[in-house]
Amino acid sequence: MRILPLIVSRNYKFYNPSAPYFVSFATVYWVDVFTRETYFCILADCVGHCRRHKGMEVYAYCFMPNHVHFIFRSREGNPMGLLRDFKKYSARKLLNAIQKHLGESRSEWMLDLFKKAGAKNNHITQYQFWQHNNHPIELWSVRVIKQKIKYIHDNPVAAGLVREPADWKYSSARNFQKDPNFMEIDEIGFMG
């Protein structure tokens, strides 16, 4: 029997601790949680918490109904730990809001799905909110950064939610037009 060497992919890993990264992550089962203003606001508050207390720099973002895109950097040089902390913190806040939201007609359905996902993972005690994969891509050039920013901002247009990127309230597209309507971002340095 011939044994093939193990090939480990360098794709989708955090290798350079000081680099900016493009990441995407989704809710389990792609549940459309973010259909209410309150959940978008909680997500933005969680980003703010990580910016203030965890050294997160956010250069671009887009919150979609069931997934999130960021270009971010860890000032402390621990992007994997920072993203893990963000997902854990935001999951706790969002699950709490879903459980307590009196007008949430979907709460039982969503919580059942989150519980089902949590039951499949030994290290989760009750609910799993986010999928575990993040697909980090290190951004090594201005060209690649601009490409990812365009992808992030065009996401709501591609999904048919708006006609123009700046029409989506939950994206940094307006920030790039000097109209920070929803969430503050950090200066990326070369855009201007």
Side-chain angles (χ1 to χ4, degrees):
M1 180 166 106
R2 184 173 166 207
I3 298 175
L4 297 174
L6 176 65
I7 299 173
V8 179
S9 170
R10 287 189 57 91
N11 292 337
Y12 304 129
K13 296 188 184 343
F14 294 102
Y15 285 103
N16 182 347
S18 62
Y21 282 88
F22 166 81
V23 291
S24 294
F25 49 95
T27 58
V28 295
Y29 304 115
W30 293 84
V31 175
D32 286 338
V33 173
F34 305 105
T35 59
R36 301 189 193 285
E37 177 77 10
T38 188
Y39 302 140
F40 283 112
C41 291
I42 291 168
L43 198 54
D45 288 345
C46 292
V47 170
H49 171 82
C50 287
R51 290 179 78 225
R52 288 186 303 277
H53 302 291
K54 298 282 186 177
M56 178 184 260
E57 294 175 354
V58 176
Y59 304 114
Y61 72 93
C62 184
F63 301 156
M64 296 293 286
N66 55 22
H67 65 284
V68 171
H69 299 289
F70 282 138
I71 293 178
F72 84 106
R73 189 177 84 80
S74 169
R75 278 195 304 272
E76 268 113 59
N78 185 6
M80 185 170 63
L82 174 59
L83 194 57
R84 178 201 61 228
D85 290 352
F86 170 79
K87 288 173 79 173
K88 184 177 179 180
Y89 182 76
S90 62
R92 189 173 66 245
K93 294 289 190 182
L94 288 158
L95 285 165
N96 187 47
I98 291 167
Q99 290 169 329
K100 293 182 177 179
H101 193 291
L102 298 177
E104 180 55 80
S105 59
R106 307 169 303 146
S107 62
E108 186 177 326
W109 169 75
M110 287 193 291
L111 292 170
D112 284 346
L113 287 173
F114 298 144
K115 192 171 199 167
K116 178 181 172 186
K120 292 180 180 182
N121 292 292
N122 293 336
H123 62 281
I124 294 184
T125 57
Q126 189 170 10
Y127 298 113
Q128 180 179 341
F129 186 87
W130 297 112
Q131 293 179 24
H132 289 300
N133 52 345
N134 305 309
H135 299 283
I137 297 173
E138 182 180 334
L139 303 180
W140 64 91
S141 73
V142 171
R143 183 185 65 79
V144 173
I145 293 170
K146 286 182 177 182
Q147 176 192 46
K148 294 304 180 191
I149 290 171
K150 180 170 176 27
Y151 174 81
I152 288 171
H153 292 165
D154 286 347
N155 212 248
V157 176
L161 299 171
V162 292
R163 288 179 183 243
E164 297 295 326
D167 293 339
W168 186 246
K169 179 179 178 180
Y170 311 106
S171 160
S172 57
R174 285 189 181 168
N175 298 71
F176 279 75
Q177 293 182 349
K178 308 297 185 217
D179 180 17
N181 69 320
F182 183 69
M183 190 176 85
E184 185 179 335
I185 61 171
D186 295 288
E187 288 291 323
I188 200 159
F190 65 85
M191 306 294 282

